[in-house]
């Protein structure tokens, strides 16, 4: 019942037929390109202060208006995408590698490594995520690296626990027992048999994860302990914009919309990928 | 509300009339729980907002910020300005019903100095009293320098002249309170003479005060004051808009929202704060500040007018000196430092840094709430002077300690007056030996003028000394005076008698609610 | 089973101890000295600083301070607050202690059935319009930042319509908006997970067999699929509860609820270490208790896992 093999052409055929996946992919591509080419795309220097044009509404001078210091909102959004994605991808890569590896080891070994890993997970889990992030941010001082470290600390145990529970149910499956009986080495079983079978829930989880991480970064910036000036961040922009929602809604709206649309993009892509990658084609 | 059983049409009419002037509690917000409601340990702003309604000092303020007699009706200096004789007000009752008198003043001062009391803000004003040291180090229980002449006359002797002593805000408390309620009395009752008494404190939710019917200035028209604890400014604003509070002292983050809303115009109070703002340039830490031309260049690169409009939404005034308008000793004829980028560039070149060349990098430090203001300054210094400036955000307590230690090269900071006299600003922020001289600017002549002022009783004479000292500071570009914050408050229609002074709200004793 | 529970409780105590240790250690590195905060503008007065430091026991060695703290937990006072001179920490947190878990559990109780229902509704109509519509709704639910949602709801329902109070705590009507804001993300999260697991379970052989045998669809869904979906879903309850506790920080701030989240933020900014540590500890306790409950019910639902738990 091992199901890793979906041919490449098969994948793209299914992918192009999934509306969710395509829409999600388009949004994610646009955001990613914006982030990569921010220096070229941003019409102005995102840090340029123009005290005479504070809270300038959207118009010719500023496509999406200006903020409390007369800085171009569009340029800051584009640069903000960079920060959000940098944080999200860093955290995701770190937590997936650590979480999946440790989760598999725990599930496979069942002995003291399982206890050790799961107790560590419990301890980390025992702290609400904002508390962890707050403590780390407070200790390391606010900044990009802090956010990445803090969110990675928060996220890997979830992945580990999920991997472990998925692998645990798989272990009972016949094909695994067969593989063990054939003398296949554990790492090979994990790589060849477990990984392909847990990839689909992991992708759903990761797609939700990207969204949550971007949101968590925004929340930390919103609380004032995230990525710092002069780096523009969406969360920081929302925080600055919310009090002026009535008189000058452009800042809060533009930043919230960027955050929301990006999250929708990643979520749709994740859903779509799940449908596509699901070996049985759940559609 | 007292409900009485009334008979007859006349009485009914009275009842109707009084219900038209229906009184209730005044509801407002505070941004945090007060740290205490005890006049001895009192040491912070929120506690001051609450306790100002419960406790009174020898003198008080009117709406313009002028000193007026309060618990002391009059006072005269002792010989050689080494102390004061106070004639205390008669017929003043404490919340306990006891009569206020000289013994209470003496008791309060001794309590403030007693070790182990963690004496708050009041204690620092008392160092000048004869015998204060002995009480502080525990070798005496009574203040040697205080003489109770009779029940309502007290003489206080000093070790050196301090002509402003009557102005110092020191809350006077009931000497009998501890005997009656024990050492933890402050959590149960209040021991003041003010228009309101302490009713309850529900941590994290509210502090509630009741009207004091026997208040010497006349019983308040309202039943009490509810201070709701609301840390988030936007939430407080929403509560005001929804009518859940009657009064809001708006933090600066709400200024734009309030001042751009036409509908709120009639409900808005705007009064400049008695708070200076200045740019600290510490030459001990950043070499180039030793050159007056560099300091001038820095000052001339700031466009205060543009900043007031763009950054503060108009809720600020330019400051030309280091005393705010409305504080005694203010000099109205000081010339502003002009915004002149060309002249600034030329001055910098003259100092040996053409186009900023050769200037070492420097950090402009501040705390989170002042971030935007500092980003503006930094962008001006970069653009006009090509100065390598970077904004650094620091945790508040750490920043204050570093500034007090003279370790911060470049910062903008404020100082709020504790009493309405220019000496507060000049002697605390710019006097050489002051622990709060944070940028370490120092001038012997300035210091001599300040020392002379402490001994000059005549107001006009003293103000001349202030003006002369202030001019020395400004002419030396020891600082760039920045702006004066405009306090913004919202009052619901129908609420009358709220006074916003340069020192925040006056007590709510005269407030009425329709 | 009793042995398993005993072991878990031992584990809990260990976790709580580690939590105290970690938060104590972390707070030592936090920039900003509480005594400096107390001194505020007066900092620089070395004598006063030394006296306050001695009064608060901060001049003692760290291990002694830690032992002091453990002792104060044992006697239930949780130490003395730095900000509120002379008050025990328990006085400050006891008012808010039950508010945060009450909010979180209320939100959880609403979110689980609603989320599962929406997830099943979507899964049984996979690929149809209803599925797409539900997914879109859920994606929006996850995508809207809670601070933006809260601000918008307050503006619409409280200020414009005047239906609900803006903020505060004490009445039922004051609870509605915070609970709604707290509930939206977990509903979306649970529904997505449910949909995903349901679709997976549908593909299992036994369900296909059941379907092929002509067992009526609804019965298949409820009896087999749901049971097999609940297990992985249960694992997520802990995460969701944690998310709710975290969400309480923003929600309690915006709706001015005097719960642990707001107390935590205020105490961190005021450098009131003993209060912060106590809040961290309480969050840890609530959280680990929920996780224990989850694991126990987990073991009840899936006997295979129970066996494992016992052999571990």
């Amino acid at each position: 019942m091992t199901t890793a093999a979906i041919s490449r052409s098969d994948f793209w055929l299914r992918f192009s037929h999934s509306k969710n996946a395509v829409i999600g992919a388009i949004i994610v591509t646009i955001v990613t390109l914006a982030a990569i080419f921010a220096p070229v795309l941003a019409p102005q220097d995102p840090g340029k202060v123009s005290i005479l044009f504070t809270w300038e509404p959207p118009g010719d001078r500023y496509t999406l208006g200006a903020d409390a210091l007369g800085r171009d909102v569009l340029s800051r959004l584009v640069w903000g995408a960079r920060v959000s994605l940098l944080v999200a991808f860093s955290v995701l890569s770190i937590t997936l590698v650590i979480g999946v590896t440790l989760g598999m080891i725990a599930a496979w070994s069942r002995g003291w490594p399982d206890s050790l890993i799961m107790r560590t997970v419990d301890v980390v889990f025992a702290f609400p995520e904002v508390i962890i992030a707050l403590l780390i941010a407070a200790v390391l001082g606010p900044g990009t690296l802090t956010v990445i470290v803090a969110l990675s600390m928060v996220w890997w145990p979830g992945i580990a626990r999920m991997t472990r529970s998925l692998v645990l149910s798989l272990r009972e499956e016949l094909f695994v027992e067969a593989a063990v009986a054939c003398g296949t080495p554990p790492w090979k079983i994990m790589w060849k048999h477990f990984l392909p079978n847990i990839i689909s829930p992991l992708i759903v989880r990761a797609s939700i994860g990207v969204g949550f991480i971007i949101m968590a970064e925004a929340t930390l910036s919103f609380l004032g302990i995230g990525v710092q000036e002069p780096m523009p961040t969406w969360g920081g922009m929302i925080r600055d914009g919310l009090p002026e929602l009535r008189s000058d809604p452009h800042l809060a709206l533009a930043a919230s919309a960027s955050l929301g649309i990006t999250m929708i993009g990643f979520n749709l892509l994740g859903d779509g990928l799940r449908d596509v990658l699901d070996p049985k084609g759940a559609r | 509300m007292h409900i009485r059983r009334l008979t007859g049409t006349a009485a009914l009419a009275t009842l109707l009339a009084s219900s038209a002037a229906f009184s209730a509690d005044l509801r407002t917000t505070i941004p945090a729980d007060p740290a205490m409601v005890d006049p001895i340990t009192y040491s912070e702003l929120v506690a001051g907002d609450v306790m100002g309604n419960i406790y009174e000092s020898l003198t008080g303020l009117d709406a313009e910020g002028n000193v007026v007699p309060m618990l002391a009706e009059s006072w005269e200096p002792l010989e050689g300005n080494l102390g004061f004789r106070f004639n205390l007000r008669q017929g003043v009752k404490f919340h306990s019903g006891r009569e206020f008198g000289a013994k209470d003043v003496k008791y309060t001062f001794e309590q403030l100095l007693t070790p182990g009391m963690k004496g708050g803000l009041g204690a620092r004003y008392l160092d000048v009293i004869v015998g204060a040291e002995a009480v502080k180090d525990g070798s005496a229980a009574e203040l040697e320098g205080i003489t109770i002449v009779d029940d309502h006359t007290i003489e206080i002797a000093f070790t050196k002249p301090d002509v402003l002593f009557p102005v110092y805000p020191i809350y006077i408390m009931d000497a009998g309170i501890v005997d009656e309620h024990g050492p933890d009395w402050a959590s149960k009752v209040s021991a003041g003479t003010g228009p309101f008494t302490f009713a309850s404190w529900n941590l994290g939710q509210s502090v509630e005060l009741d009207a004091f019917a026997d208040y010497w200035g006349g019983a308040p028209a309202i039943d009490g004051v509810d201070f709701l604890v609301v840390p988030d400014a936007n939430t407080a604003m929403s509560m005001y808009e929804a009518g859940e509070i009657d009064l809001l002292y708006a933090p600066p983050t709400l200024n734009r929202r309030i001042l751009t809303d036409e509908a709120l115009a009639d409900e808005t109070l705007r009064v400049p704060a008695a708070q200076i703002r200045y740019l600290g340039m510490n030459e001990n830490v950043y070499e180039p500040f030793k050159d007056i031309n560099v300091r001038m260049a820095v000052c001339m690169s700031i466009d205060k007018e543009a900043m007031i409009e763009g950054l503060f939404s108009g809720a600020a005034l330019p400051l030309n000196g280091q005393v705010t308008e409305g504080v005694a000793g203010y000099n109205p004829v000081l010339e502003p430092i002009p915004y002149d980028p060309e002249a600034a560039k030329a001055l910098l070149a003259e100092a040996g840094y053409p186009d900023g060349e050769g200037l070492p990098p420097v950090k402009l430090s501040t705390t989170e709430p002042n971030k935007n203001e500092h980003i503006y300054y930094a962008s001006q210094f970069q653009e006009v002077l090509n100065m390598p400036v970077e904004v650094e955000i620091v945790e508040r307590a750490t920043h204050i300690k570093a500034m007090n230690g003279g370790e911060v090269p470049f910062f903008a900071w404020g100082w709020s007056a504790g009493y309405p006299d220019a000496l507060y600003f000049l002697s605390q922020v710019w006097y050489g030996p002051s622990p709060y001289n944070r940028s370490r600017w120092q001038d012997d002549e300035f210091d001599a003028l300040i020392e002379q002022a402490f001994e000059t009783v005549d107001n006009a004479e003293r103000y001349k000394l202030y003006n002369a000292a202030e001019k020395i500071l400004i002419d030396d570009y020891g600082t760039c005076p920045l702006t004066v914050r405009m306090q913004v408050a919202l009052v619901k229609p129908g609420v009358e008698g709220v006074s916003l002074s340069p020192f925040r709200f006056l007590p709510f004793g005269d407030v009425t609610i329709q | 089973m009793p042995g398993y529970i005993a072991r878990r409780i031992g584990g809990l105590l260990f976790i709580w101890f580690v939590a105290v240790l970690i938060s104590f250690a972390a707070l030592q590195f936090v920039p900003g000295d509480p005594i400096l905060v107390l001194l505020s503008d007066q900092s620089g007065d070395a004598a006063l600083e030394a006296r306050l430091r001695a009064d608060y026991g901060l001049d003692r060695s760290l291990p002694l301070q830690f032992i002091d703290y453990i002792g104060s937990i044992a006697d239930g006072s949780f130490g003395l607050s730095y900000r509120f001179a002379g008050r025990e920490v328990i006085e400050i947190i006891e008012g808010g202690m039950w508010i945060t878990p009450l909010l979180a559990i209320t939100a959880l109780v609403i979110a689980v059935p609603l989320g599962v229902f929406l997830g099943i509704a979507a899964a049984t109509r996979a690929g149809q319009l209803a599925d797409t519509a539900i997914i879109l709704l859920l994606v929006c639910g996850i995508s809207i930042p809670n601070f933006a949602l809260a601000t918008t709801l307050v503006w619409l329902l409280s200020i414009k319509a005047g239906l609900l109070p803006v903020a505060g705590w004490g009445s039922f009507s004051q609870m509605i908006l915070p609970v709604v804001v707290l509930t939206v993300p977990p509903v979306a999260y649970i529904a997505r997970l449910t949909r995903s697991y349901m679709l997976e379970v549908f593909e299992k052989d036994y369900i296909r067999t059941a379907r092929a045998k002509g067992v009526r669809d609804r019965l298949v869904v409820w009896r087999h699929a749901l049971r097999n979906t609940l297990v992985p879903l249960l694992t997520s309850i802990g995460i969701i509860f944690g998310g709710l506790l975290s969400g309480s920080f923003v929600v309690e701030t915006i709706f001015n609820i005097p719960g642990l989240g707001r107390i935590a933020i205020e105490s961190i900014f005021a450098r009131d270490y003993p209060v912060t540590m106590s809040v961290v500890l309480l969050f840890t306790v609530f959280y680990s208790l929920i996780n224990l409950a989850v694991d126990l019910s987990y073991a009840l639902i899936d006997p295979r896992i129970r066996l494992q738990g016992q052999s571990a």
Side-chain angles (χ1 to χ4, degrees):
Chain A
M1 224 176 88
T2 166
T3 50
I6 315 173
S7 74
R8 198 165 285 185
S9 58
D10 216 22
F11 172 81
W12 287 114
L13 186 70
R14 286 157 176 243
F15 191 87
S16 58
H17 278 93
S18 161
K19 256 176 273 156
N20 284 353
V22 172
I23 297 172
I26 291 173
I27 295 176
V28 169
T29 310
I30 291 173
V31 175
T32 313
L33 287 178
I36 294 171
F37 295 106
V40 188
L41 288 173
Q44 298 186 26
D45 174 356
K48 168 86 174 102
V49 172
S50 308
I51 204 72
L52 296 174
F53 295 99
T54 53
W55 296 111
E56 186 81 354
D60 288 344
R61 178 176 270 270
Y62 303 104
T63 317
L64 288 179
D67 71 0
L69 283 160
R71 298 177 296 198
D72 182 37
V73 170
L74 177 59
S75 305
R76 292 179 70 72
L77 280 180
V78 173
W79 281 86
R82 235 180 198 215
V83 177
S84 293
L85 290 194
L86 175 79
V87 170
F89 284 123
S90 312
V91 173
L92 209 58
S93 331
I94 295 171
T95 53
L96 275 178
V97 169
I98 297 177
V100 169
T101 311
L102 292 182
M104 281 188 176
I105 292 174
W108 185 259
S109 68
R110 287 182 177 178
W112 65 264
D114 184 23
S115 298
L116 181 68
I117 292 169
M118 292 327 286
R119 287 301 82 80
T120 315
V121 164
D122 287 342
V123 169
V124 180
F125 253 136
F127 289 88
E129 53 181 279
V130 173
I131 282 268
I132 298 191
L134 225 58
L135 289 181
I136 293 177
V139 171
L140 293 184
T144 315
L145 185 68
T146 304
V147 173
I148 293 174
V149 172
L151 294 181
S152 300
M153 281 283 283
V154 173
W155 272 88
W156 77 265
I159 308 264
R161 200 178 248 203
M162 180 175 182
T163 307
R164 177 177 175 271
S165 86
L166 288 167
V167 172
L168 274 184
S169 16
L170 276 177
R171 277 198 60 155
E172 314 298 325
E173 302 278 345
L174 271 178
F175 70 95
V176 176
E177 282 173 24
V180 175
C182 294
T184 320
W187 65 267
K188 205 166 180 181
I189 296 179
M190 289 188 195
W191 185 257
K192 283 251 159 104
H193 298 291
F194 288 161
L195 203 56
N197 277 289
I198 63 173
I199 202 99
S200 145
L202 270 180
I203 282 176
V204 176
R205 170 92 198 196
S207 77
I208 296 174
V210 175
F212 267 85
I213 292 164
I214 291 177
M215 185 75 84
E217 183 272 315
T219 305
L220 288 180
S221 298
F222 180 78
L223 291 172
I225 49 177
V227 177
Q228 295 295 300
E229 293 280 353
M231 203 98 84
T233 67
W234 293 347
M237 292 169 80
I238 295 174
R239 178 192 56 193
D240 294 345
L242 274 187
E244 320 299 339
L245 201 57
R246 224 73 59 69
S247 51
D248 313 274
H250 59 266
L251 178 59
L253 285 184
S256 302
S258 305
L259 179 60
I261 290 172
T262 305
M263 298 225 4
I264 289 176
F266 276 103
N267 282 318
L268 287 179
L269 180 66
D271 275 1
L273 278 177
R274 189 212 159 271
D275 293 349
V276 172
L277 285 177
D278 190 310
K280 293 293 189 307
R283 298 160 52 82
Chain B
M1 268 235 318
H2 300 279
I3 298 171
R4 280 167 294 174
R5 201 177 289 271
L6 296 165
T7 50
T9 43
L12 188 64
T14 315
L15 184 66
L16 285 173
S18 72
S19 70
F22 172 72
S23 62
D25 284 3
L26 177 73
R27 299 161 304 169
T28 185
T29 63
I30 40 180
D33 280 293
M36 70 290 288
V37 286
D38 176 343
I40 300 304
T41 55
Y42 156 65
S43 64
E44 51 100 32
L45 218 54
V46 178
D49 286 345
V50 174
M51 289 166 65
N53 286 287
I54 305 176
Y55 291 91
E56 291 176 320
S57 308
L58 294 176
T59 55
L61 299 175
D62 66 11
E64 278 73 50
N66 301 311
V67 175
V68 292
M70 193 64 72
L71 293 180
E73 276 183 322
S74 64
W75 52 90
E76 57 262 12
L78 298 179
E79 203 189 325
N81 286 326
L82 287 171
F84 281 93
R85 168 201 284 258
F86 289 94
N87 303 307
L88 304 177
R89 192 176 294 277
Q90 312 252 353
V92 174
K93 281 214 165 76
F94 279 111
H95 299 157
S96 61
R98 279 184 286 271
E99 180 98 356
F100 157 78
K103 62 182 189 317
D104 302 297
V105 177
K106 179 167 185 278
Y107 176 80
T108 303
F109 287 3
E110 285 164 359
Q111 286 296 302
L112 278 167
L113 290 169
T114 302
M117 286 298 184
K118 303 175 186 70
L121 282 181
R124 61 178 165 169
Y125 296 126
L126 304 177
D127 287 347
V128 72
I129 300 176
V130 173
E133 279 309 314
V135 178
K136 266 170 125 177
D137 64 26
S139 59
E142 294 199 43
L143 258 174
E144 189 194 331
I146 293 188
T147 314
I148 295 180
V149 179
D150 63 42
D151 277 357
H152 291 92
T153 312
I154 191 168
E155 281 183 7
I156 302 170
F158 298 163
T159 52
K160 62 177 188 195
D162 186 357
V163 298
L164 289 178
F165 190 85
V167 173
Y168 296 156
I170 304 169
Y171 293 144
I172 305 297
M173 64 177 281
D174 183 350
I177 202 77
V178 177
D179 287 343
E180 189 184 346
H181 291 282
D184 62 338
W185 62 270
S187 58
K188 296 180 267 185
V189 291
S190 50
T193 56
F196 295 93
T197 63
F198 173 79
S200 68
W201 179 4
N202 199 348
L203 210 72
Q205 305 211 50
S206 64
V207 179
E208 289 173 16
L209 310 185
D210 286 341
F212 178 40
D214 288 335
Y215 180 54
W216 61 269
I222 49 175
D223 291 341
V225 186
D226 296 351
F227 293 94
L228 306 176
V229 181
V230 184
D232 187 75
N234 291 320
T235 304
M237 183 65 200
S238 300
M239 290 172 76
Y240 179 82
E241 289 180 299
E244 292 174 25
I245 52 172
D246 307 308
L247 181 64
L248 175 66
Y249 185 87
T253 48
L254 291 177
N255 282 351
R256 184 175 169 78
R257 179 164 166 189
I258 293 170
L259 298 174
T260 52
D261 191 339
E262 295 283 316
L264 291 174
D266 293 341
E267 302 170 24
T268 310
L269 300 178
R270 305 167 52 150
V271 173
Q275 182 189 49
I276 54 167
R277 227 173 152 68
Y278 63 93
L279 197 64
M281 295 174 278
N282 191 333
E283 59 177 44
N284 301 339
V285 195
Y286 189 66
E287 188 78 18
F289 286 150
K290 288 203 161 119
D291 190 331
I292 186 173
N293 287 322
V294 174
R295 301 198 295 267
M296 281 174 82
V298 165
C299 292
M300 286 184 174
S301 345
I302 300 172
D303 187 352
K304 281 186 260 184
E305 298 291 341
M307 191 169 92
I308 287 167
E309 266 325 298
L311 209 53
F312 300 136
S313 313
L317 298 168
L319 181 63
N320 297 335
Q322 283 294 277
V323 179
T324 56
E325 194 171 354
V327 167
Y330 170 72
N331 180 359
V333 297
L334 266 183
E335 284 296 316
I337 300 173
Y339 169 58
D340 191 341
E342 291 316 309
K345 284 193 182 91
L347 284 164
L348 196 66
E350 205 174 303
Y353 307 104
D355 197 29
E357 252 172 69
L359 278 175
V362 63
K363 280 187 174 148
L364 184 65
S365 313
T366 189
T367 55
E368 178 66 27
N370 304 303
K371 188 177 70 185
N372 279 353
E373 186 188 343
H374 284 72
I375 292 174
Y376 168 70
Y377 296 140
S379 79
Q380 285 299 106
F381 301 148
Q382 286 158 357
E383 265 173 48
V384 176
L385 305 176
N386 203 17
M387 190 180 190
V389 192
E390 199 185 307
V391 176
E392 178 191 38
I393 310 289
V394 195
E395 190 275 321
R396 189 169 187 274
T398 314
H399 189 47
I400 288 177
K401 178 162 196 195
M403 285 193 300
N404 285 356
E407 298 155 16
V408 185
F410 205 13
F411 58 91
W413 201 249
W415 195 249
S416 298
Y419 49 81
D421 192 286
L423 201 52
Y424 192 92
F425 297 126
L426 299 176
S427 72
Q428 300 213 6
V429 183
W430 299 110
Y431 178 55
S434 164
Y436 314 118
N437 182 337
R438 290 166 168 163
S439 69
R440 296 294 190 263
W441 176 85
Q442 197 270 332
D443 182 280
D444 290 341
E445 206 184 328
F446 179 98
D447 290 354
L449 286 167
I450 297 302
E451 282 154 21
Q452 200 186 334
F454 270 110
E455 304 182 9
T456 308
V457 185
D458 184 79
N459 286 342
E461 281 296 307
R462 204 170 67 247
Y463 299 161
K464 272 187 204 148
L465 297 173
Y466 297 164
N467 294 351
E470 188 184 20
K471 191 147 174 22
I472 291 172
L473 168 68
I474 301 303
D475 285 351
D476 190 42
Y477 288 84
T479 184
C480 318
L482 298 170
T483 51
V484 179
R485 179 172 66 89
M486 184 77 81
Q487 306 175 95
V488 176
L490 289 169
V491 189
K492 281 282 177 199
V495 177
E496 302 289 339
V498 172
S499 299
L500 184 60
S501 81
F503 299 82
R504 306 165 76 93
F505 288 124
L506 292 188
F508 299 125
D510 299 329
V511 173
T512 57
I513 301 175
Q514 284 300 310
Chain C
M1 199 72 181
Y4 172 65
I5 294 174
R7 231 183 352 266
R8 285 304 311 262
I9 288 172
L12 273 192
L13 292 175
F14 173 72
I15 284 171
W16 295 350
F17 178 76
V18 173
V20 181
L21 191 64
I22 289 178
S23 62
F24 182 82
L27 287 168
Q28 302 307 317
F29 292 102
V30 168
D33 180 328
I35 297 300
L36 293 184
V37 174
L38 270 177
L39 286 167
S40 186
D41 280 334
Q42 297 176 64
S43 84
D45 184 339
L48 185 59
E49 191 177 326
R51 202 184 81 203
L52 284 174
R53 223 170 270 286
D55 285 351
Y56 281 93
L58 290 174
D59 55 343
R60 308 175 57 169
S61 68
L62 283 184
L64 281 180
Q65 287 186 39
F66 185 66
I67 291 167
D68 281 352
Y69 184 59
I70 297 278
S72 71
I73 293 172
D75 70 25
S77 70
F78 291 86
L80 287 176
S81 159
Y82 291 157
R83 186 171 131 70
F84 300 100
R87 284 196 179 223
E88 290 182 347
V89 172
I90 187 70
E91 289 182 63
I92 291 153
I93 56 176
E94 68 188 347
M97 214 158 125
W98 303 110
I99 294 179
T100 307
L102 177 69
L103 274 177
I105 288 172
T106 311
L108 195 64
V109 166
I110 298 172
V112 171
L114 195 60
V116 169
F117 173 78
L118 283 175
I120 293 172
T124 49
R125 292 168 183 78
Q128 299 171 19
L129 193 66
D131 181 32
T132 314
I134 292 174
I135 289 181
L136 209 67
L137 199 72
L138 300 182
V139 167
C140 289
I142 295 183
S143 306
I144 298 170
N146 52 3
F147 34 89
L149 180 65
T151 311
T152 315
L153 287 180
V154 166
W155 186 57
L156 284 178
L157 298 178
S158 303
I159 297 176
K160 282 283 148 190
L163 292 175
L164 292 166
V166 169
W169 184 252
S171 70
F172 177 74
S173 58
Q174 284 170 322
M175 220 176 136
I176 296 176
L177 282 182
V179 167
V180 167
V181 172
L182 270 181
T183 308
V184 168
V187 165
Y189 184 73
I190 294 170
R192 284 168 55 98
L193 283 185
T194 307
R195 177 180 178 274
S196 159
Y197 292 137
M198 290 292 281
L199 289 181
E200 216 156 87
V201 174
F202 281 166
E203 297 312 312
K204 296 260 164 128
D205 283 346
Y206 55 92
I207 301 270
R208 286 156 74 99
T209 315
R211 273 182 161 171
K213 278 186 188 157
V215 181
R216 281 178 48 217
D217 243 11
R218 188 166 298 171
L219 200 67
V220 175
V221 171
W222 289 108
R223 176 140 333 143
H224 297 282
L226 189 58
R227 187 183 159 89
N228 282 284
T229 302
L230 275 179
V231 178
L233 197 62
L234 256 178
T235 354
S236 307
I237 294 290
I239 298 168
I240 292 163
F241 190 73
L244 286 169
L245 289 181
S246 296
S248 68
F249 283 76
V250 170
V251 166
E252 288 179 10
T253 300
I254 291 180
F255 292 104
N256 202 42
I257 298 169
L260 286 180
R262 208 189 85 188
I263 293 174
I265 296 225
E266 282 175 331
S267 69
I268 284 173
F269 283 120
R271 311 284 151 200
D272 202 344
Y273 295 178
V275 174
T276 314
M277 284 193 278
S278 312
V279 174
V280 168
L281 187 60
L282 281 177
F283 268 129
T284 311
V285 169
F286 294 136
Y287 199 32
S288 52
L289 285 177
I290 282 279
N291 276 318
L292 177 68
V294 165
D295 285 357
L296 291 181
S297 47
Y298 197 52
L300 285 176
I301 290 178
D302 194 334
R304 285 184 300 184
I305 312 231
R306 179 166 64 202
L307 280 174
Q308 239 152 35
Q310 279 173 334
S311 66

